[in-house]
Amino acid sequence: MFEKTTRMNFLIDIYDSLLTEKQKSYVSLYYLEDLSLGEIAEEYEVSRQAVYDNIKRTEAVLENYEQKLGILKQYQAREDLVELLEKRLIEKNVVDNEVAGLLQQLKNMD
Amino acid sequence: MFEKTTRMNFLIDIYDSLLTEKQKSYVSLYYLEDLSLGEIAEEYEVSRQAVYDNIKRTEAVLENYEQKLGILKQYQAREDLVELLEKRLIEKNVVDNEVAGLLQQLKNMD
């Protein structure tokens, strides 16, 4: 299992287009830019508690989308599959540049 | 490009968890079960126009989710990549049962 920050980084990356501008800015500053609650509160001239509450709600929204759509879960399952396939193909000694490139592209896709 | 019915079948399959119960029933009956507008109207005791309007709005909702999240687009791009990889591996004569199974699983994933 991911640690929470890593998981939130993934969920924001996947689902940020479904968030409101305010939800997006607070969680992005907190998780992606690593600002503290106090720093975000200062920048937006709101209370630290208001920032905290908003981020908690947004986390729940993101987890709710993931529960419904499961894009992250599928992504992880696919990554495992591609890695297994890559391992087999390396054993068979058939990974030339083109095959390596295709495997890499499959791993990188959301 | 898909014809519309095929595209809608995919979009409903991917995003139906984000629809309301009513949106889900009308588009599912229309696109997945192939009922006519008149048949749906009769079943729900509403006008044919009401069913039509609801389905048009739901189509727009589905296309909006696809525009934001692009799951279908990624799925199609991935399918093309896996098919290209499969072609190369067949040329190299290295597709045994295990490799074929892994490729099939990669194609089947949403």
Side-chain angles (χ1 to χ4, degrees):
Chain A
M1 202 50 221
F2 288 135
E3 62 158 309
K4 179 155 181 198
T5 303
T6 310
R7 180 175 175 84
M8 279 300 145
N9 277 324
F10 271 110
L11 293 181
I12 295 166
D13 189 44
I14 296 169
Y15 298 113
D16 70 344
S17 62
L18 300 179
L19 299 177
T20 66
E21 282 310 312
K22 191 172 139 191
Q23 287 173 331
K24 206 188 299 186
S25 15
Y26 288 7
V27 283
S28 300
L29 290 171
Y30 188 68
Y31 282 111
L32 310 183
E33 310 284 334
D34 203 27
L35 262 65
S36 70
L37 294 175
E39 288 168 327
I40 301 170
E42 202 174 324
E43 184 162 333
Y44 283 84
E45 298 181 345
V46 294
S47 70
R48 193 181 168 288
Q49 185 66 40
V51 175
Y52 177 82
D53 291 346
N54 183 282
I55 288 174
K56 286 292 136 189
R57 278 196 302 273
T58 306
E59 285 174 12
V61 169
L62 290 168
E63 288 291 357
N64 187 41
Y65 280 127
E66 172 60 12
Q67 201 184 349
K68 286 181 170 168
L69 295 170
I71 301 181
L72 177 57
K73 197 176 161 193
Q74 288 279 347
Y75 172 82
Q76 293 171 299
R78 202 160 55 235
E79 202 175 31
D80 290 347
L81 266 180
V82 176
E83 273 167 19
L84 186 55
L85 179 60
E86 189 171 32
K87 206 176 144 199
R88 289 292 167 273
L89 297 177
I90 288 171
E91 285 165 9
K92 290 172 186 290
N93 205 20
V94 291
V95 182
D96 57 15
N97 283 344
E98 190 189 7
V99 170
L102 289 169
L103 290 168
Q104 194 54 47
Q105 279 183 73
L106 276 170
K107 268 195 241 177
N108 288 344
M109 294 185 105
D110 284 344
Chain B
M1 202 49 221
F2 288 134
E3 61 158 308
K4 180 154 182 198
T5 303
T6 311
R7 180 175 174 84
M8 279 300 145
N9 276 325
F10 272 110
L11 294 181
I12 294 166
D13 187 45
I14 296 169
Y15 298 113
D16 70 344
S17 62
L18 300 178
L19 300 178
T20 66
E21 283 310 311
K22 190 173 141 189
Q23 286 173 332
K24 207 187 301 185
S25 12
Y26 287 7
V27 282
S28 300
L29 290 171
Y30 188 69
Y31 282 112
L32 311 183
E33 310 286 332
D34 203 29
L35 261 66
S36 70
L37 295 176
E39 288 167 329
I40 301 170
E42 201 173 325
E43 183 161 334
Y44 283 85
E45 297 181 347
V46 294
S47 70
R48 195 181 167 287
Q49 186 67 39
V51 174
Y52 177 82
D53 291 345
N54 183 281
I55 288 173
K56 285 291 138 191
R57 278 195 303 272
T58 306
E59 285 174 12
V61 169
L62 290 168
E63 288 290 357
N64 188 40
Y65 281 127
E66 172 61 12
Q67 200 185 350
K68 287 182 168 167
L69 294 170
I71 301 181
L72 177 57
K73 196 175 160 194
Q74 288 279 348
Y75 173 82
Q76 294 170 300
R78 205 161 51 236
E79 200 175 32
D80 289 348
L81 266 180
V82 176
E83 272 168 18
L84 186 54
L85 178 61
E86 188 170 33
K87 205 175 145 198
R88 288 293 166 273
L89 296 177
I90 287 170
E91 285 165 10
K92 290 171 186 289
N93 204 21
V94 291
V95 182
D96 57 16
N97 283 344
E98 191 189 6
V99 170
L102 290 169
L103 290 167
Q104 195 53 47
Q105 279 184 72
L106 276 171
K107 268 196 244 176
N108 289 344
M109 294 185 104
D110 283 344

